[in-house]
Structures are given as C-alpha cells and as structure tokens.
Amino acid sequence: MKLSFRGRFQGYNRKKFQKDLVSGLIVGIVAIPLGMAFAIASGVKPEYGLYTTFVAGILISLFGGSKFQIGGPTGAFIPILFAIVMQYGYENLLIAGFMAGVILLFMGIFKLGGVIKFIPRPVTIGFTTGIAVTIFTGQIANFLGLHDLQKHQEFLFNMKELIIHISTINMYSVLTAVICLVLILLTPRVSSKIPGSLVGLLISAVIASLFYPDKVATIGSTYGAIPNSLPSIHFPELSMERMQFLIKPALVIAMLGGIESLLSAVVADGMSRTRHNSNRELIGQGIANMITPLFGGIPATGAIARTATNIKSGAESPFSGIFHGIVVLLVLLIFAPYASSIPLASMAPILMVVAWNMSERKEFAHVLKTKTAESVVLLITFLLTVFTDLTTAVEVGLLLSGIIFVKHMSDLLRTAKVLPNPSDKHEHVTAHIVTEQHNCPQISIYTVEGALFFGVASAFEQSIMAEIHTNPKVLLLKMGNVPYMDTTGTAHLSRIIRHFDHHGCTVIISEVQIQPRRMLRKTRLDDWIGQENLYDKTGDALNFALTKLNHAQCLGCKHFAFRECKHLSDPRVINVRTPFD
C-alpha cells in the first residue's frame, strides 16, 4: 500500500500552516496532563506517558490514514495496560506493545481495516462503559488521598481495598481534587478554547504547594523526579518463547487500538467532512506502536477527545498532530522538574472526567431500554469488562452476538408449498390455495425465503424431505428470495437432491441469485443438478416440469391445480397455457 502524502497536504500554504501551529499548541497543552495521568493509571511512570504522546503522536500523524487524527495514550487502554503490568511487568508490556504494532501493521497491509466495523455496537458500548467504570473507580483512592493500598487486577478486590483503607482519607487531597474538578467543569463555560484539565491541574497544584506543602502525595514523592531529557533508545529482548508468552496481551492491545483509532477517525470524518483511509490508519498505528516502545513508551491509539479538540481549534492538515507532539517534547525538556510537584489528587479528577465522557452512558441506557437480545449482550459485555477482563468480555460478547444473529436469521427462513393460482395473473404461485383437498401429487413446488446457511440448513432439509412420503415426480424449488447460501446449505441441498433422485424424482431449481449460484458452481452441485434443471424463470421451470410427467403414471387426480382439466391423462395437460406463459 502506498503511503502517499500528496492529497493530505494539497494546497497547503502559510495560512494553513499558522492554523496547524495554533491547533497543535492547544492540543499539545491538553495532552500533557492526560499523558501523565494515563501513564500513572496504567501502572507506569508519568514520563512514559509523555514519551508516548510525542513519539506516537508524531508518527500517527505522519503515517496514519486520518487527516486530523491525534494519537497517543488513551483512557481506553488503562485497565488493559495496568493488568499487563501487574501480570507480566513493564518490560514485557513494551514487547507486547511492539508485537501489537506488528499485528496492526499487517492488518493494514492486508486491508483488514473494514473488519473492525463488524464488531456489534452493543459489544463496543458495553466494554467502553466497563472501561470507564474501571478508570473512574481506580481514581477514588487518589481523590481521597488514601494510602497503603495494594493494587489488584480484580475489580472487587480493589473496591475492598478502598473500604478497608477509608479511614486513611486525607482532607488536603480531597480539597485539592475538588478544586481541580470544579475548575475542569467551569473553565469551558468561560472559554471553550482553554483546556479545563490544564487549568485545574496548575491552579490546584499551586494552591497545594503554597498553602499546605508536603500534605498531599505528588508525582515526585510517589514516582520520583521526571527527567528533562530525551529517553534513550532501548531494543527489547525478543525471543520465540517470549513472543508466545505475550501473544494474548499483544492481540488485545492490537484489537482495542484498532477499534479506538478507527472510531476516532470516523468521528473526525463527521466533524471535518473528510474521509479517512482505514487500512492506512492501521498502518500508521502499527508503525507508531512498533517504534514507541523503543523509547519506553506505552501503547497508543487515536484519541477521540484530542482529535475533536484538534478540529475545533482549526487544524488544516496532519501537521497539527506533528506540532502537538513537538509541544509535548519541548515542555518535557523545559518544565519536567516542575511536573514532579503535581499532586496525585490533581490528576484524579482529570481521569474521572475522561471516564465520564467516554462512558457512552446515553447510548448504554438507550440500548438497555430496547429490552432486546442486544440489551443482554450489552449488559453481559459491560459486567465481564468490569469484573473479569476485556478479552473475556469481547469474546463472550461476540459469541452471544453471533448466536443471536444466527437465531434471527433462522427465524427469517421460510419454506412454503405453493401452487399456481389461475385466478390471479399477478401472483404466479401462492401458498393459500394449497389444502389437503387441493394439492398435486405429481409436482411439488416450494418457495424458499431467507439465507440458507449452517444455522437453518438442517431445518430446511427436514421440511423438504417430508415430501418424500408423497413420492412426487417433480420437485421444484423457487429460490428467488435466497440471497446467501454457504457450504453447509449446499451440503443439505445436495442431500435433498440425492434422496429425491434415488426415488425417481426430478429436482428443478429456479430464480437462483448470484451468490447461491456461485456456491453451486464452486461445490459442483450445479453439475449434479444438471444445467437443464436450473432456470432463471419459474414459469419456464414449470413448463419443463410438465413435460417430465409420464401420462401412463397419471393418478387421475381430479384436484390437479395446474389445469382446468380433471385428469393428467388429458392431452391438454401439455398444450394448455399456464399462468406462467
């Protein structure tokens, strides 16, 4: 795939450059506290979040498929990365992130960007809301200033830790957190261009430093001083055993990174009236996640909130994302020592607001109110995300969605015995005229409606096979309303044909659509049926069926529905026009 930059920078001029510079500055300022907060919540040092922000941010803007995408660490990754750090360690997190980058790169190269859109919306909403709950509750301890807590992967154990240590609450931390939270909420009402998270962080940190120093935990007292230098490149030790050990977390990171980046790109398209390239976006995400771990950075993806801020700030091209990364780098080099004085209680409200905004609470409530099977998928995915892990939640959510889909598609399959209706010239065949007294013993016609796949193929075969007891001479299957057929469907159709052929019955099929006809050809079932028994029009198929009847075998049925004549031995059977003529 060509990574062409021509279209993304076409018509670029000085005025657009200035707009990109301003928007990059704004987004960079917004990204600084978020980068540190996301890293701390993920269980790693705050500077790793800043490394991720400027390295991945620049690379995603350079190589990604969205014109305005801002990449970096995101809230959605927090529970995943924290669990990986707890279980595998920081060094293995870097390797898992690198492997996830390779997976994303190949997904883009093999044009799998469109596959992500097939994940059902209830599953996406369920795990996103579950992640939001995990992030929010994970910041309660810092908000209240609790200490001596042990961190766990399990949600219930972490809640138990909060209850056990509630007596260690620090009112100075609460005051600091409340000040920050109030400023975060009030700042957008004063000016939408000023990032509330930065205002809240700086003012609450200054108040804590001036009025009650050493009373609250800070980044420096907890994690040590943030270095004001570029990280050295470190190549992780890769081995086959280690990669096999980390393949599961790598797949989870790649899956979530792909989903989040493409969702963010879709949001950007809607806001800017542009169109992203999903495969190139995955390539850009892959490159970024392969290189970022070399600098000690954590996995990155498209950040919806920062991307929206970028567009609202007047961005004109991917240069704004590049500038945002440069701003973060400069702040790191110049102001890193001051960041060590930021209270953890000032970081907690920032993440809580992020969790609240990403929770999709309205969509969650809307799907629940439908009281459908999708509501069950949503609720189960949400609960499993909170109480187990994202991998289990997505796997179960997709499995349930697949089962529900198969059930719905199975309910749509209809097979009905029909007969020509001489009284209605517009309806060639109808089911309502078929009765016990009004039937044809020699020709059985069935209309088949719905997809013929593994979920319904057996039931389809059973409904048709019931006709074997009547020993018809011709079986006509009208399949004009069968849009799809898989190999299981063709296998059961093959069994039907072989059974009826064994009993001396001719099977004729009409109105086969493109995809089912392709499957008949690929499985060579069309050769078994015989090209002379495949018809585009049911009228032609019926006329051919009438010629197959042997007059000597006539049952003398006075209720023969195809003709006004009373007996099949009447020569008019072949010569009289039918409703299909």
Side-chain angles (χ1 to χ4, degrees), residues 83-112:
I84 294 173
V85 171
M86 291 287 291
Q87 184 175 351
Y88 299 95
Y90 170 67
E91 286 294 326
N92 284 329
L93 170 64
L94 299 181
I95 296 175
F98 177 84
M99 292 170 61
V102 175
I103 294 171
L104 287 168
L105 178 66
F106 279 101
M107 286 178 64
I109 291 174
F110 290 105
K111 299 181 179 181
L112 299 179

Side-chain angles (χ1 to χ4, degrees), residues 497-512:
I497 294 169
R498 284 170 169 78
H499 274 290
F500 277 87
D501 182 67
H502 178 72
H503 287 77
C505 172
T506 301
V507 178
I508 304 173
I509 302 178
S510 68
E511 302 182 23
V512 185

Side-chain angles (χ1 to χ4, degrees), residues 113 267 426:
V267 172
H426 299 288

